Amino acid sequence: MSQLSVTEAAMRSFSQANDPRLGQVMALLVKHLHAFVAESQLSKEEWLRGLEFLTQSAAITDADRNEFSLLSDILGISSMVDVVSQPDGGTSSSVLGPFHNHDSQLRPNGVDLSGDQPGQKTWLHGRVMNVQGQPIAHAEIDFWQNADNGLYPAQDPLQDPQNLRCKIHCDADGNFNLLTLRPHPYTVPTDGPVGALLAASRRNIWRPAHFHVIVSAPGYVGLVTELFPADSAYIDNDTVFGVREGLIVPLLPSQNAEVAARYGIATPFFEMNFDFHLVPQA
Ligand code: BEZ
Ligand code: FE
């Protein structure tokens, strides 16, 4: 069998799939993987090494740790899926990452998440609107970030599992606000095969500082995204390729005495203002 007929036969083998979309996706996957093997002239040793890599990834994957998801992130595939599925006109989406927790508690709009832990107080506020700029009443914001030591609660037994995370509902004019801390750059987990691949490739292992946000409202496409303080290290070199131009936001010192008095904090504190735009469901 020639190279071409192997590829054609393998693609055709999916033509009777129960779900035509499954058949289409698998045929295209086969087509591009075969082209990769042909173009790289992949050796048998290299192919076996690749299978060993996947086997090692499976061995350390469980409910709390998914090495395949991290592999997708560092290959830029998670970001490519974001880009191709992005509806026109709304705020850009970005990677979810492994530290989202479905159990975040609903807190009042304006909540102080920072408490008395170390870190630079940061007031995050803005509006949730449609693509025409009209407010969306009572949209939900699901928010999470890392602490001043760079760690998420799942990585740090000294943090309360609910630390620096919450859900809040915007007011009737789409306004939201909360007091939190400046987030910090941090490295993706490097103790597995993906870490070994990053080291062997002499790649950066850091992500720039970011807030994670999921914005949802009935009748609109849910938005999974991140906000990146513009002055963060690694803003131009995110190891998971999550930074989009419209998601880089100034994080600036503020002298707003009314906000300082409301939270009982000193000026200057830091402030970030960002409006989210949601796209209606088709
Ligand atoms: C994160 O932002 O938390 C993250 C994203 C992708 C891979 C690892 C961590
Ligand atoms: Fe993160």
Side-chain angles (χ1 to χ4, degrees):
M1 247 185 177
S2 72
Q3 181 184 309
L4 210 59
S5 51
V6 172
T7 300
E8 274 169 7
M11 288 178 72
R12 236 189 348 263
S13 73
F14 287 103
S15 63
Q16 303 303 315
N18 285 333
D19 174 353
R21 176 65 180 163
L22 173 70
Q24 182 192 25
V25 169
M26 290 310 299
L28 283 170
L29 183 66
V30 160
K31 176 179 165 183
H32 289 277
L33 287 175
H34 285 214
F36 152 72
V37 171
E39 188 177 342
S40 63
Q41 289 291 292
L42 202 68
S43 70
K44 286 192 174 149
E45 292 71 27
E46 288 164 340
W47 175 235
L48 288 173
R49 180 69 193 91
L51 291 183
E52 197 183 311
F53 177 92
L54 294 177
T55 306
Q56 289 166 351
S57 298
I60 65 158
T61 292
D62 60 23
D64 297 321
R65 164 90 190 253
N66 192 326
E67 196 72 355
F68 294 100
S69 168
L70 182 59
L71 180 62
S72 162
D73 293 339
I74 67 104
L75 293 179
I77 296 172
S78 310
S79 279
M80 275 303 288
V81 173
D82 278 339
V83 169
V84 302
S85 56
Q86 175 81 45
D88 283 343
T91 299
S92 297
S93 58
S94 184
V95 295
L96 175 69
F99 299 118
H100 177 245
N101 185 337
H102 290 280
D103 304 333
S104 284
Q105 290 164 354
L106 184 64
R107 310 289 300 275
N109 195 3
V111 62
D112 175 3
L113 297 176
S114 65
D116 55 9
Q117 66 193 299
Q120 295 173 292
K121 304 278 185 193
T122 299
W123 187 50
L124 173 65
H125 62 108
R127 292 181 95 182
V128 177
M129 295 187 276
N130 64 17
V131 286
Q132 282 82 37
Q134 292 152 336
I136 300 174
H138 311 302
E140 183 176 277
I141 306 265
D142 183 346
F143 173 90
W144 69 107
Q145 67 165 95
N146 62 4
D148 204 47
N149 61 3
L151 299 176
Y152 287 84
Q155 303 169 294
D156 180 2
L158 297 179
Q159 281 182 55
D160 183 300
Q162 293 287 337
N163 193 34
L164 297 173
R165 62 173 71 244
C166 68
K167 290 179 183 160
I168 55 177
H169 289 161
C170 298
D171 68 16
D173 293 320
N175 296 295
F176 69 89
N177 78 109
L178 56 85
L179 185 67
T180 187
L181 298 175
R182 178 189 268 278
H184 291 284
Y186 73 98
T187 69
V188 294
T190 54
D191 55 342
V194 169
L197 174 63
L198 290 169
S201 314
R202 293 166 149 220
R203 268 185 55 174
N204 166 46
I205 56 174
W206 288 83
R207 295 211 65 205
H210 52 271
F211 294 125
H212 289 276
V213 189
I214 300 177
V215 190
S216 46
Y220 291 87
V221 180
L223 172 68
V224 178
T225 193
E226 305 179 277
L227 303 178
F228 299 90
D231 62 355
S232 175
Y234 306 102
I235 198 87
D236 296 324
N237 190 15
D238 179 1
T239 192
V240 303
F241 313 101
V243 180
R244 322 260 176 267
E245 204 184 317
L247 302 177
I248 302 174
V249 190
L251 194 153
L252 299 170
S254 168
Q255 298 287 352
N256 188 323
E258 189 254 305
V259 170
R262 195 189 320 156
Y263 289 110
I265 59 173
T267 55
F269 53 88
F270 284 96
E271 175 172 0
M272 181 187 275
N273 178 217
F274 189 83
D275 294 336
F276 296 96
H277 293 270
L278 300 189
V279 175
Q281 271 164 1

